Amino acid sequence: MSDKLIHLKTDILVVGAGGAGMYAAIAAARNGARVLLLDKSLIGRGGATIMAQMTVAVAIGEQAPDHWTDHLADTLTAGRGLCDEELAATLCREGPDRIREMDEWGVNWTREGNHIKQVTAPGHQVPRCVFVDFLNTGPAVARTLRTRIARTDGITRISNLSVTSLVTQNGCVTGAVALDLGEGRPVTIAANAVVLAAGGLTRLYQRNSASVNMGGDSYALALRAGADLIDMEFVQFFPIGHLAPRLVGMDPIMWDPFRYKLGGRLLNGNKEEFIERYGATDSGTYTAPRDVTSYAIVKEVEAGRASPNGGAYLSFEHLDEATLRDAFGPVIDRLADNGIDLTKSPIEVAPIAHYHMGGIRVDETMAATVPGLYAAGEAVGGANGANRLSGNAITEAVVFGERAGRFAASAAKSNWNPAAARAGIDEIRNLKTGGEFPKGRTFGELFGELQNLMWEKVGLLRTDSRLEQALNRIREMQALDLPALKPDDATAFALGKQEWFDLRAALTTAEAITVAALNRRESRGAHQREDMPDTDERQTHNQCVRLDGTGLVLETIPVRRLVHDPIPAGDDK
Ligand SMILES: Cc1cc2nc3c(=O)[nH]c(=O)nc-3n(C[C@H](O)[C@H](O)[C@H](O)COP(=O)(O)OP(=O)(O)OC[C@H]3O[C@@H](n4cnc5c(N)ncnc54)[C@H](O)[C@@H]3O)c2cc1C
C-alpha cells in the first residue's frame, strides 16, 4: 500500500453514483462543468438504485387521467403534514420530464398497447407508477444512466474512492478528502461545488433492505461540514419484507409488485385479515400506507397473533399458476428454485428498514445550508415528510439529481487551500492499523451491536427510556469503542480503514436519528412512540440537527408551505 498523496481538481465533485449522483453528473456536464463522479463501490452499481426492482411514481397520465398536483396531494397526505411542500412540488412537477427523458435514453418502461403502463401503488389515488418488467426497474434506470454518462463529455468516473470528509474554508465547502480503497492512501479533490448523493442509512438497522454502502455517510459527511439535517427521526420501515421461507438471490421487498398487480391477502397467525383494526383499509388490493401496515403487523405480533417466524402471512393461494406466470414470468421459476409455490402456501413477511425520509436540509436549488454543498437523492430530507409514498424515491433521486447538478454547475470558482485538507488527510494516514483490539471487539461485532441497538431501541416502536438507553450507548461507542478499534491492515484493499470510517459515519448518523426521535414527543407517520401514541398537531414542525463545538444541537423550524398556487394560469388540470 502507498501513502503518497494524490490531488485532483474539478469544477463539480459528485459523491455517490446511484440514480441521483449519475443524473447530477449528466446535468452538471451538460451545463458546461467538468465533473468528477466517484463512488466507494463501482460506478452505477453500488447503492439502492440498482436494487430497486419495482415502481417509479410519476403523473404522466398515460394509464388514467392524472396531473402532477394530484401526485402532490397524495404525497402531502402521506407525509402527515411535515413535507417541505416546495420540495414535494418540485419532485411531482419535474418527475414527468425526467421519466420521459430516460425513456428517450432507452430505459424501456413497460408498455401496454401504445402507452407506458402505469399501476396503482399504496397511497396513490390513480394508476401512477411506471416500471420495467420483470422486477427490473432499478437495474434498467442504473444501466440507462451509466450509458448516458459514457456518452457525455466532461465526466470523469472513479470507483473505489470513499469520501471520508468534506473540506471547508471560511465556512464554504471547497472539496473533499477520500480514501483510495485500493492503496489505502488519501486523495484530495478541489472543487467549486460538491454534490452529496451518497444515499441513505438503512444499513444501521438489523433487518434492512440495504446494500453495505447505505450506512449513513451522506448525513455524517454533511453534519461534520456544518450543514443542517432535517427530520432525522423518520426512518421508513417497509411492511412486507421477506421473512420466511429462506429466499436466496432475490430482493427482500419483492412482494410489493405482486400486491399491486394481483392483490394478495395479508393475514395474521390466525389467518385473519387485520388491517381494518388499525384504521386503514386494503379492499383486497393492499393499498394501505406503509407506516400503518408496519405498525399493524408489529401490533399483531405483540398481541400474540404472529405467523410462526414472528411476522404475518402474505397469501396468493387464491391465484392459479397461469395467472402468476402471466404477471411475473421468469420470477416464478426463481421462486420455484427457492422452493416457493405461491399457489400452495403463503410466505411470511415482516417490517424491514427500507428508506429514510430525513436528510440534508436543502433549498429548491438543492443547496445545503453550507455554501458550496449541494445534495440529491435519498441524502436529501424533507420532500416526503413523515412517510414516503411508494415509487417516490427513484423520482426524487432523478429530479433532485438533475437539479443539484444543474445549479451546482453555476457555482463560483473556489479557492482551494491545501492546509484546509490537512486534518482529513492526517486522519487517514494516522489511523493505526494492525494493533490489538483492547476489548477484543472487531468491526463486525461493533457494527452488529449498533444494528441491534437501532432495531430494538430506535426502531418501529419507540419510548423515551429505550431511546435514552440507545443514545447513551451510541455516545459510549463514539467515545470508547471507535478510538480503540484498530483496523486490520492485513487484507489487500483498505477494508480495515474503510470499516473504521464506516463505523464513525454510522455512529454519527445514529446519534442524529436518536436525538431527533427523543425530541419528537408524539407519534406521526414512521415515528411511532409507544409512550406517546397520539399525533399532537402542535408538533406540526420540522426538526433540524447540526453539529456545533459541543455536539449535536436541535432546533424546530416551521414547515415550508407552498407560497404560489401550484397550478399556474394556462396549465389545465
Ligand atoms: C431493495 C430496494 C428496493 C427499492 N425499491 C424502490 C422502488 O421500487 N421504487 C422507488 O421509488 N424506490 C425504491 N427504493 C428506494 C430507492 O431505490 C432509493 O431511495 C434511491 O435509489 C436512492 O438513490 P440515490 O442515488 O440517492 O442513492 P443510491 O442509489 O443508494 O446511491 C448512493 C451511492 O453512494 C455511494 N456512496 C455511499 N457512501 C459513499 C462515500 N462515502 N463515498 C463515495 N461514495 C459513497 C454508494 O456506494 C452508492 O453507489 C428501493 C430501495 C431498496 C434498497
Side-chain angles (χ1 to χ4, degrees), residues 410-558:
S410 57
K413 208 164 181 52
S414 80
N415 292 317
W416 170 262
N417 178 351
R422 178 53 49 201
I425 297 168
D426 286 348
E427 66 184 14
I428 292 178
R429 283 195 170 143
N430 298 342
L431 204 53
K432 296 277 175 288
T433 54
E436 291 296 307
F437 301 105
K439 291 184 179 175
R441 310 289 311 272
T442 62
F443 165 81
E445 288 166 355
L446 287 169
F447 207 92
E449 183 191 339
L450 179 65
Q451 288 176 311
N452 283 340
L453 192 71
M454 295 301 284
W455 185 259
E456 297 291 334
K457 303 195 188 295
V458 198
L460 263 151
L461 295 180
R462 300 163 173 180
T463 64
D464 260 348
S465 98
R466 289 206 285 262
L467 289 167
E468 269 158 18
Q469 288 166 30
L471 191 57
N472 289 339
R473 181 62 191 130
I474 290 165
R475 287 181 169 158
E476 193 177 68
M477 287 172 90
Q478 285 172 319
L480 301 176
D481 296 292
L482 182 67
L485 176 64
K486 294 200 178 70
D488 176 6
D489 66 353
T491 50
F493 250 53
L495 289 184
K497 281 190 176 181
Q498 174 171 4
E499 286 174 350
W500 190 91
F501 285 105
D502 281 354
L503 183 61
R504 182 176 73 171
L507 288 169
T508 305
T509 299
E511 186 188 4
I513 302 169
T514 312
V515 164
L518 255 174
N519 205 55
R520 183 165 287 284
R521 311 194 63 71
E522 62 160 351
S523 291
R524 187 188 291 256
H527 172 73
Q528 291 296 323
R529 302 269 310 222
E530 278 190 297
D531 47 359
M532 296 165 207
D534 298 324
T535 300
D536 172 6
E537 289 312 324
R538 290 166 307 174
Q539 295 184 51
T540 306
H541 50 229
N542 299 118
Q543 301 196 103
C544 282
V545 286
R546 75 180 67 89
L547 264 180
D548 73 4
T550 55
L552 281 182
V553 289
L554 190 139
E555 179 196 359
T556 59
I557 57 165

Side-chain angles (χ1 to χ4, degrees), residues 16 19-20 39-40 47-49 52 54-55 163 198 209 213 217 253 378 391 393-394:
D39 200 290
K40 77 200 277 186
T49 305
M54 283 152 294
T55 54
V163 169
S209 63
N213 294 337
D217 289 20
I253 69 153
E378 196 167 331
I394 301 257

Side-chain angles (χ1 to χ4, degrees), residues 15-21 38-42 44-57 161-164 197-200 202 209-211 213-214 217-218 221 251-253 354-355 376-379 388 390-397:
V15 182
L38 57 84
D39 200 290
K40 77 200 277 186
S41 172
L42 298 176
R45 296 177 198 272
T49 305
I50 201 164
M51 298 172 74
Q53 295 185 344
M54 283 152 294
T55 54
V56 183
L161 211 50
S162 180
V163 169
T164 51
T202 44
S209 63
S211 75
N213 294 337
M214 294 155 67
D217 289 20
S218 297
L221 287 167
D251 182 347
I253 69 153
H354 179 53
Y355 173 84
E378 196 167 331
R388 169 179 71 89
S390 49
N392 265 8
I394 301 257
T395 317
E396 168 184 73

Side-chain angles (χ1 to χ4, degrees), residues 138-413:
V141 167
R143 175 186 39 75
T144 303
L145 296 177
R146 283 198 311 268
T147 307
R148 194 71 201 169
I149 281 176
R151 294 180 183 160
T152 305
D153 288 338
I155 304 175
T156 304
R157 294 158 281 173
I158 308 183
S159 296
N160 300 322
L161 211 50
S162 180
V163 169
T164 51
S165 61
L166 298 176
V167 176
T168 56
Q169 246 168 272
N170 305 325
C172 292
V173 171
T174 57
V177 178
L179 171 66
D180 172 349
L181 296 171
E183 295 289 337
R185 68 185 158 195
V187 174
T188 54
I189 305 129
N192 299 341
V194 175
V195 177
L196 252 182
L201 55 68
T202 44
R203 187 192 178 200
L204 302 193
Y205 286 85
Q206 184 194 39
R207 259 179 67 72
N208 65 62
S209 63
S211 75
V212 289
N213 294 337
M214 294 155 67
D217 289 20
S218 297
Y219 317 111
L221 287 167
L223 266 183
R224 293 163 66 84
D228 285 6
L229 305 184
I230 188 169
D231 289 349
M232 288 301 286
E233 64 273 36
F234 293 111
V235 178
Q236 181 166 69
F237 293 85
F238 179 81
I240 55 166
H242 189 83
L243 184 64
R246 198 156 167 264
L247 185 67
V248 179
M250 299 185 80
D251 182 347
I253 69 153
M254 60 172 283
W255 298 114
D256 238 15
F258 279 76
R259 291 191 316 161
Y260 306 152
K261 288 192 178 181
L262 301 172
R265 302 175 64 220
L266 193 58
L267 309 169
N268 65 18
N270 303 335
K271 301 274 176 89
E272 305 156 335
E273 290 192 301
F274 55 89
I275 202 79
E276 281 78 12
R277 292 181 193 155
Y278 300 92
T281 170
D282 264 341
S283 348
T285 54
Y286 296 106
T287 50
R290 288 178 172 176
D291 53 354
V292 178
T293 311
S294 291
Y295 180 78
I297 293 174
V298 170
K299 281 295 179 191
E300 287 297 298
V301 171
E302 261 187 16
R305 296 188 287 269
S307 61
N309 289 283
Y313 289 116
L314 186 61
S315 169
F316 297 91
E317 292 157 287
H318 54 290
L319 300 169
D320 59 26
E321 156 116 30
T323 311
L324 287 163
R325 196 165 280 283
D326 189 40
F328 287 99
V331 177
I332 302 305
D333 297 321
R334 287 167 63 196
L335 286 172
D337 292 343
N338 278 279
I340 296 175
D341 180 347
L342 295 176
T343 62
K344 294 214 165 63
S345 46
I347 45 116
E348 289 180 63
V349 294
I352 189 167
H354 179 53
Y355 173 84
H356 187 222
M357 274 73 73
I360 301 168
R361 185 181 174 197
V362 295
D363 66 16
E364 55 291 350
T365 70
M366 301 297 132
T369 50
V370 178
L373 183 62
Y374 293 76
E378 196 167 331
V380 167
N384 295 290
N387 179 43
R388 169 179 71 89
L389 280 183
S390 49
N392 265 8
I394 301 257
T395 317
E396 168 184 73
V398 296
V399 168
F400 292 179
E402 190 279 335
R403 286 179 82 82
R406 174 158 46 101
F407 287 106
S410 57
K413 208 164 181 52

